[in-house]
Amino acid sequence: MDDIKYFLYILLIINLFTVVFTKKYSVEDDYLYILHNIQEKTKLYNCTNIINSYKNCILDYNNDVIPDYNSLCDNFSNKICNLIIENIDNNVLQCEKEYRNQLVKVMTNIYHVSKLFCYRGDNSEFCPISRIFQKAKTVKENVNSEDFYSYSILHTYCLDESCSQYIDESYIGIYALYNIGIINDENIMSSLKYINDFIASRDCYKIRQAYGNVKSEENESFSNKNYRISVKLIIIILLFLFSSFYIF
């Protein structure tokens, strides 16, 4: 299983190199630009209304104005926004047929990018990955792989089960940003793998043990844990590889 996992990671890195070195950022490819462009072109009131409602829920990651992340993320996760986001496939039926597939694609990607900024842990504080993206937007810097390797981040992920559950999911939002050239550090995926490996390690187990944060099910073998993580990563990585062939 480890051989399969590392092979898939190699495929992913190769794919990311292709994206990074052949895909430069262009506003015409940006998900938010495409969404706005469709909103301008549609002649259907219900379609305009759906897009407006969706825009009120997600993060405008290109806006220079620094948002109140607590307020934005509370809004992003409220019941109304969840209904809008969970029913994207049905909602786009309010739009012309020629726009529907593209809307599903861009709205789904914007949703996953927005989630990167809004992951919360067991104590309702933002998870390290979200804090990294929030800080980068605040100081107008690029997100780099080095940001993910600090001991404090690893320590948090060992002790915060909710945050650790979001690592695999965060690949999707990060890849969405790779795919349009906003993120260009191809090593970020490797750094996320490092965090995942650390969470499954004995060092992390010892940290949880020291804080009295060890559950009975953690008595199972580490090989079984790594197997479960590998299966999830295989599914996600294959999704990334498949999505890279999608052309707007």
Side-chain angles (χ1 to χ4, degrees), residues 10-233:
I10 291 171
L11 286 179
L12 177 59
I13 295 300
I14 292 172
N15 186 60
L16 290 176
F17 266 108
T18 303
V19 171
V20 170
F21 290 109
T22 63
K23 186 77 170 182
K24 301 296 183 182
Y25 176 77
S26 171
V27 67
E28 288 80 9
D29 295 327
D30 192 286
Y31 310 122
L32 289 170
Y33 174 85
I34 294 170
L35 186 65
H36 177 75
N37 198 35
I38 292 175
Q39 186 178 18
E40 292 291 311
K41 289 180 178 179
T42 183
K43 296 178 174 61
L44 301 178
Y45 171 79
N46 285 344
C47 183
T48 300
N49 192 41
I50 283 293
I51 294 175
N52 272 331
S53 298
Y54 181 80
K55 282 183 171 181
N56 289 332
C57 293
I58 51 88
L59 171 76
D60 184 350
Y61 51 82
N62 285 332
N63 195 325
D64 287 337
V65 176
I66 306 304
D68 176 346
Y69 287 108
N70 283 303
S71 176
L72 183 147
C73 293
D74 286 345
N75 179 63
F76 176 71
S77 60
N78 70 28
K79 187 175 182 179
I80 294 175
C81 287
N82 280 336
L83 286 174
I84 293 171
I85 291 166
E86 289 171 2
N87 293 284
I88 288 176
D89 288 340
N90 290 327
N91 289 334
V92 299
L93 296 178
Q94 303 297 322
C95 300
E96 291 91 339
K97 187 175 181 180
E98 62 189 288
Y99 300 134
R100 291 173 189 171
N101 288 339
Q102 200 170 31
L103 278 172
V104 170
K105 176 72 174 180
V106 299
M107 292 170 87
T108 301
N109 278 314
I110 295 169
Y111 163 70
H112 285 296
V113 170
S114 297
K115 288 192 78 172
L116 285 175
F117 292 80
C118 291
Y119 291 127
R120 294 183 188 268
D122 296 333
N123 59 0
S124 296
E125 297 292 327
F126 288 112
C127 296
I129 285 179
S130 292
R131 292 201 301 269
I132 288 170
F133 277 89
Q134 290 173 11
K135 179 182 177 183
K137 181 172 174 59
T138 300
V139 300
K140 299 180 181 179
E141 292 181 351
N142 293 327
V143 176
N144 296 305
S145 57
E146 291 83 1
D147 299 329
F148 296 83
Y149 284 102
S150 75
Y151 177 77
S152 63
I153 286 178
L154 297 175
H155 191 271
T156 297
Y157 278 113
C158 281
L159 296 176
D160 196 314
E161 186 174 355
S162 294
C163 285
S164 66
Q165 295 298 317
Y166 295 133
I167 294 174
D168 289 347
E169 189 177 350
S170 69
Y171 278 81
I172 303 174
I174 291 173
Y175 186 79
L177 292 175
Y178 268 116
N179 207 34
I180 57 174
I182 288 181
I183 286 181
N184 50 33
D185 184 347
E186 70 277 3
N187 293 315
I188 290 178
M189 293 299 185
S190 298
S191 64
L192 293 181
K193 174 189 176 300
Y194 178 81
I195 295 174
N196 251 337
D197 288 346
F198 188 82
I199 290 172
S201 71
R202 289 199 173 275
D203 287 335
C204 188
Y205 177 83
K206 289 176 182 177
I207 291 173
R208 290 194 293 269
Q209 199 172 39
Y211 280 80
N213 200 17
V214 177
K215 297 181 179 180
S216 58
E217 60 265 26
E218 291 197 66
N219 291 325
E220 66 178 309
S221 70
F222 285 95
S223 61
N224 286 338
K225 291 181 184 178
N226 282 321
Y227 175 81
R228 292 202 310 272
I229 291 172
S230 298
V231 170
K232 288 198 298 182
L233 288 176

